Amino acid sequence: MYVYRSMSMAVGHAEPVRTPLQRHIYSLKRRLYWCGGTFLAACLITFPYADKMIAWLKKPYGKDLIFYAPTEAIFASIKVALLGGLVLAMPVILYHLWKFISPALLPGEQRYVIPFLSVAFGFFALGVVFANFVIVPLSLQFMLQFGVDRSLVPQLGVGFYVDFNVKFLLTFGLAFELPLAITLMSRLRLITPELLAHYRKHAIMLNLIIAAILTPTSDIFNLLLMAVPLILLYEVGIISAKVFGRPPIRDLMGDEVVLPTGTAGKRVL
């Protein structure tokens, strides 16, 4: 009787056995919680410095910003704090992304976590800086000069200006990760440079659609300002995949072999 009760208690307190898919979902949820919590904490840290970040964003404009509603300045500060929080939390987000995909890598490749984090964060920061000091000034100069030529005096509200900048900065910060993402997928043998080159026309069309959706204005000039760098980054990704990617495994007939999911870490070079 005692043995039966002990076995029943042991069985009752045993942890449920998870399938590989359930383990992946559990790991993904846990890492998303970590990323979300880190992002919120980073936003609380950056909010007191919102005025300094707005001053940094205002450098391409060079004039004073105004606000039309009592809450406009507050919401602008919140949006800037969200941008700063994302930048501050980016290393943690990238770390959990790496840890999530690391089981699909070869054992020798899993030690590259520090170079991966450094390159990925550097590309994101480079995209933000490039957008703020190259793309945004060109876009502003085009739109403001259009009004000045018609004897109109520009007065920009802080809410519109922050929305305008944040969309460009986030888009280019994430877009500059495209070559790294393509290279990583090539290392995992999910894609090949030949496949990317074959679907180049489709990628150009997709980039134009993405640029049309994300562009703060509806004019063709700003659309091209966003679409052309995306297309160039796609080409850089193809070159990087050729240089740093891993060629697909082929059988004796020369046909590409598709390995089952989860065997990436056991592949033979």
Side-chain angles (χ1 to χ4, degrees):
M1 179 68 70
Y2 178 76
V3 174
Y4 174 76
R5 288 182 178 178
S6 300
M7 292 177 62
S8 300
M9 293 176 62
V11 172
H13 290 81
E15 294 185 358
V17 179
R18 294 188 176 94
T19 64
L21 178 60
Q22 290 176 330
R23 288 197 297 269
H24 283 302
I25 295 176
Y26 174 77
S27 175
L28 178 62
K29 289 172 61 177
R30 182 169 57 87
R31 297 191 185 282
L32 287 176
Y33 289 148
W34 269 103
C35 294
T38 304
F39 172 66
L40 292 178
C43 291
L44 294 177
I45 295 174
T46 57
F47 183 77
Y49 303 95
D51 54 340
K52 296 181 180 180
M53 288 188 287
I54 291 177
W56 183 77
L57 293 176
K58 195 171 67 69
K59 287 184 178 181
Y61 180 53
K63 297 181 181 180
D64 294 331
L65 299 174
I66 61 176
F67 61 95
Y68 300 98
T71 58
E72 186 175 0
I74 297 176
F75 284 122
S77 299
I78 293 174
K79 292 175 184 177
V80 172
L82 292 176
L83 174 63
L86 180 61
V87 175
L88 191 62
M90 187 56 63
V92 176
I93 295 174
L94 293 172
Y95 171 77
H96 283 285
L97 174 63
W98 175 269
K99 295 300 290 184
F100 181 73
I101 65 175
S102 60
L105 299 174
L106 293 171
E109 295 173 334
Q110 296 179 4
R111 67 177 184 270
Y112 294 129
V113 55
I114 299 301
F116 171 79
L117 294 177
S118 302
V119 173
F121 182 74
F123 279 6
F124 182 83
L126 180 62
V128 170
V129 173
F130 176 78
N132 194 56
F133 290 103
V134 178
I135 300 299
V136 171
L138 290 174
S139 179
L140 282 176
Q141 182 180 2
F142 170 77
M143 292 187 298
L144 295 179
Q145 190 62 42
F146 186 85
V148 171
D149 292 341
R150 286 151 182 79
S151 301
L152 300 176
V153 178
Q155 286 186 329
L156 299 184
V158 63
F160 166 79
Y161 187 83
V162 167
D163 286 339
F164 182 83
N165 274 40
V166 166
K167 288 181 179 179
F168 269 116
L169 268 59
L170 283 179
T171 300
F172 277 91
L174 296 176
F176 269 60
E177 303 286 356
L178 183 59
L180 182 62
I182 290 176
T183 304
L184 187 59
M185 287 189 291
S186 179
R187 294 292 299 177
L188 296 174
R189 291 196 176 101
L190 298 176
I191 57 176
T192 62
E194 294 76 17
L195 180 67
L196 296 172
H198 178 73
Y199 288 101
R200 178 180 283 111
K201 294 181 180 179
H202 300 78
I204 292 174
M205 181 59 65
L206 180 61
N207 286 329
L208 289 172
I209 295 174
I210 294 175
I213 296 174
L214 298 179
T215 302
T217 59
S218 57
D219 59 279
I220 189 66
F221 181 78
N222 282 305
L223 186 147
L224 292 177
L225 276 181
M226 186 170 290
V228 171
L230 291 176
I231 296 172
L232 293 178
L233 288 169
Y234 182 81
E235 296 297 328
V236 172
I238 295 177
I239 297 174
S240 180
K242 290 181 179 179
V243 177
F244 301 104
R246 187 184 299 133
I249 298 177
R250 300 185 182 276
D251 57 18
L252 296 178
M253 301 298 295
D255 297 326
E256 183 176 338
V257 177
V258 179
L259 295 180
T261 304
T263 60
K266 302 178 182 179
R267 295 172 184 174
V268 180
L269 290 174

